[in-house]
Amino acid sequence: MSNTNNSTKAARRPFDIIIYGATGFAGKHVVKHFVHNHPEVRIAIAGRNRAKLNQLATDLNNNTASSDTNDTNDIKNHINTINPDQILVAPADDEHKQELIHILSQAKICLACAGPYRQNVGRNVLEAAIESQTDYLDLCGEPQFYDDMLSSFDALARERKTLVLSACAFDCVPSEFCFALASRELVKKYGSISANANASSTDVPVQVTNVEIVHTFQGIKCANATTFHAAVDGFHASYTGELKASRQKVKDCFPQLQNDTSSKRPKEWKRMVATPSMTSPVYHEDTDSYLLKFMGADAACILASDRYLRLRSIDDNTATNTNTSPDQKSSSSSSSLPPMPFLSLCFGLQSKSHAYTFLGFGAIFATLAKFSWGCNILHSSPETFTRGFFREGGPTDEELVGASFATYGTAYGTTGDQVVKVKFSGGEPGYIATAAMMSALALTVLNHRESIKFEGGVMLPGAAFNGCDVVYDVLRQEGLQIEVIDSANDENV
């Protein structure tokens, strides 16, 4: 169980949270969320361009002043302003490493919103956060980045008791929390003989054998092209073997994972949910939509969190069995976690024609992303290759209004009638809900660090907040809805 690392040092820092990359499209929404919802949090905005940071502060302060004039409820008590001493400047390049460390050392937490992360900017901000012992959260949806940072910096982050969390955004946060909550509720509901009339005379806890995650969207107009550019580079990395090489490096850095037999599924487990093929959508009755395989990073996130929890479990078992017999040492080389269930990650479209249109554009994207010249073509015109969905500059404020998402998670036990369903929903997912998600996770680290089991390390939200119940309350306080549709008590947790 974690304690408040560096608590004395952190208490002397002038800021609670520094938002690096504050002038980017996603970063602006994170800043706005804190300015409008958390005046009690001492924030700073940071980046490489002082003029853009000054303009952001001016725009936010003008909007605040306008609200003060038009609202009779003394909105000054509820909205922050950005003062000059809250603007910090340092490029995230090799030449300015000490400057970056200096500005990050002024805050307890760094929210890194500058991507794409696979470029040096991501690595440099993360490394500077560890050097300054500033807890770090980012919006990264690039699996290669997770693996590279894990193999490069996990040992140092543990030593310096610094939390490093990637993928604190849609789509990974809803997927990871739906996976965790549905799994937990299934075990709660069917985990005893009294709850399961078909149980044998031996009291064996129910096992989660399958989990299905389905994303649905309403009113989404478009998204910022930065996400598209990161996807192009990520797909190319998988085709060229870069991603495979990064995962092999993780195996080389953590050989104890290769000896872990706990993750292997029992042969008697049956796959109950199948991921649709890349050529044909599947109708999904629960969401009244046509499912396609979701090509985002959430499957990689769930698997990476499971891998990290196993790694730390093995390390803990090994540490507590240093003076035991060879047989006991052999057993300590495996984690104490249950096997990883079969996993299906999908998203739903409202009609079959929409699904086939998506498949057509997806086939063109996948073909071009295999080649460097194809990536250049894709990067040159995101709108052309996404039917206008991804565009430079992203959606307007008006286009964000009314958009929403709902992610459904369904966990299955050893039989098809052992089922629990959960739902994670909110506003426009890419920027409005993502800002709320990142803020909620940051506030949990800031205010409830003792409830997080790890003092430090490089991980994803599913691992960091494993067993942390308070994070669900904080997510709800930030305007997100998390419901157990079918739980042990048939009510929200």
Side-chain angles (χ1 to χ4, degrees):
M1 181 64 67
S2 173
N3 54 41
T4 54
N5 75 315
N6 310 310
S7 57
T8 303
K9 181 178 179 180
R12 297 195 297 265
R13 298 188 176 191
F15 302 111
D16 295 317
I17 292 173
I18 182 171
I19 302 166
Y20 191 90
T23 61
F25 197 84
K28 287 180 182 178
H29 286 282
V30 174
V31 175
K32 288 179 183 178
H33 187 89
F34 275 101
V35 166
H36 288 280
N37 295 285
H38 293 286
E40 79 284 0
V41 177
R42 298 170 297 162
I43 67 168
I45 60 174
R48 64 182 181 180
N49 189 309
R50 181 174 293 278
K52 289 184 178 180
L53 291 166
N54 287 339
Q55 187 60 54
L56 173 62
T58 298
D59 292 344
L60 289 170
N61 293 342
N62 287 342
N63 288 339
T64 299
S66 175
S67 298
D68 290 342
T69 302
N70 297 325
D71 198 317
T72 59
N73 294 324
D74 191 18
I75 201 166
K76 289 182 180 180
N77 292 327
H78 304 283
I79 293 183
N80 254 325
T81 57
I82 304 294
N83 299 315
D85 63 343
Q86 294 171 265
I87 300 173
L88 306 177
V89 180
D93 55 35
D94 294 338
E95 295 179 5
H96 298 85
K97 181 178 179 180
Q98 292 305 316
E99 295 174 40
L100 188 59
I101 292 173
H102 172 70
I103 67 167
L104 296 191
S105 68
Q106 298 183 53
K108 300 174 185 176
I109 297 172
C110 169
L111 303 186
C113 302
Y117 292 86
R118 288 177 64 244
Q119 298 175 2
N120 283 340
V121 61
R123 182 187 184 95
N124 289 344
V125 174
L126 185 151
E127 186 176 11
I130 298 175
E131 288 291 338
S132 60
Q133 294 181 280
T134 301
D135 291 326
Y136 166 101
L137 292 81
D138 68 36
L139 302 172
C140 180
E142 304 164 43
Q144 187 181 359
F145 182 79
Y146 318 152
D147 290 341
D148 287 345
M149 298 305 99
L150 172 63
S151 56
S152 298
F153 296 112
D154 184 63
L156 182 61
R158 292 199 213 183
E159 177 188 334
R160 298 185 71 79
K161 297 183 179 180
T162 303
L163 289 171
V164 175
L165 313 183
S166 281
C168 300
F170 184 88
D171 49 282
C172 295
V173 168
S175 293
E176 290 222 80
F177 280 89
C178 280
F179 178 90
L181 185 58
S183 299
R184 185 185 78 181
E185 291 298 303
L186 185 99
V187 172
K188 183 195 298 185
K189 183 174 183 179
Y190 298 104
S192 66
I193 291 177
S194 59
N196 181 4
N198 297 321
S200 65
S201 57
T202 303
D203 188 3
V204 179
V206 69
Q207 292 180 303
V208 181
T209 65
N210 286 253
V211 176
E212 178 188 62
I213 306 292
V214 177
H215 299 296
T216 63
F217 308 96
Q218 299 80 37
I220 309 295
K221 304 296 184 183
C222 68
N224 192 34
T226 301
T227 302
F228 177 83
H229 295 311
V232 171
D233 293 338
F235 273 77
H236 185 66
S238 68
Y239 286 128
T240 60
E242 291 180 42
L243 179 57
K244 184 178 180 180
S246 293
R247 289 178 175 168
Q248 183 59 49
K249 188 174 181 180
V250 171
K251 293 179 181 179
D252 294 340
C253 288
F254 305 102
Q256 59 268 50
L257 287 170
Q258 299 185 52
N259 299 321
D260 178 28
T261 59
S262 67
S263 61
K264 294 183 179 179
R265 302 184 190 99
K267 293 182 179 180
E268 60 269 21
W269 282 15
K270 304 297 182 184
R271 181 180 283 277
M272 300 180 194
V273 292
T275 301
S277 70
M278 296 302 295
T279 59
S280 181
V282 175
Y283 180 70
H284 191 250
E285 186 175 357
D286 284 355
T287 59
D288 188 26
S289 65
Y290 290 87
L291 299 189
L292 295 174
K293 181 178 180 179
F294 190 70
M295 300 303 291
D298 44 0
C301 288
I302 291 171
L303 294 172
S305 285
D306 179 77
R307 176 184 64 189
Y308 194 79
L309 289 170
R310 292 182 194 282
L311 171 64
R312 297 299 291 260
S313 175
I314 294 168
D315 290 349
D316 289 346
N317 290 343
T318 302
T320 57
N321 288 286
T322 54
N323 297 315
T324 57
S325 67
D327 288 343
Q328 288 173 314
K329 287 184 178 181
S330 176
S331 65
S332 72
S333 65
S334 290
S335 78
S336 55
L337 274 67
M340 182 67 189
F342 291 107
L343 189 60
S344 175
L345 277 296
C346 308
F347 72 106
L349 293 168
Q350 294 180 343
S351 71
K352 188 176 288 188
S353 62
H354 286 156
Y356 278 113
T357 299
F358 182 91
L359 286 173
F361 278 88
I364 296 171
F365 176 95
T367 300
L368 290 174
K370 293 179 181 180
F371 311 100
S372 296
W373 58 265
C375 291
N376 292 335
I377 293 173
L378 290 169
H379 284 309
S380 69
S381 186
E383 292 188 48
T384 299
F385 293 102
T386 61
R387 209 180 184 183
F389 185 78
F390 287 104
R391 69 185 187 211
E392 302 296 344
T396 65
D397 289 344
E398 291 75 18
E399 288 173 323
L400 295 175
V401 175
S404 63
F405 81 96
T407 297
Y408 297 88
T410 306
Y412 296 86
T414 51
T415 63
D417 59 351
Q418 295 175 335
V419 183
V420 163
K421 300 178 181 181
V422 302
K423 178 183 177 182
F424 189 128
S425 58
E428 188 281 326
Y431 310 103
I432 303 301
T434 281
M437 292 173 202
M438 186 180 225
S439 300
L441 301 190
L443 290 168
T444 304
V445 174
L446 179 67
N447 298 322
H448 306 282
R449 207 177 192 283
E450 72 285 350
S451 67
I452 299 172
K453 65 171 60 179
F454 302 120
E455 289 185 320
V458 177
M459 66 198 82
L460 291 110
F465 298 102
N466 178 260
C468 176
D469 290 340
V470 69
V471 70
Y472 292 93
D473 294 329
V474 181
L475 284 162
R476 293 189 184 100
Q477 290 165 9
E478 297 309 299
L480 301 158
Q481 293 79 48
I482 308 174
E483 306 168 84
V484 180
I485 302 171
D486 182 12
S487 73
N489 300 313
D490 289 325
E491 61 182 22
N492 293 358
V493 295

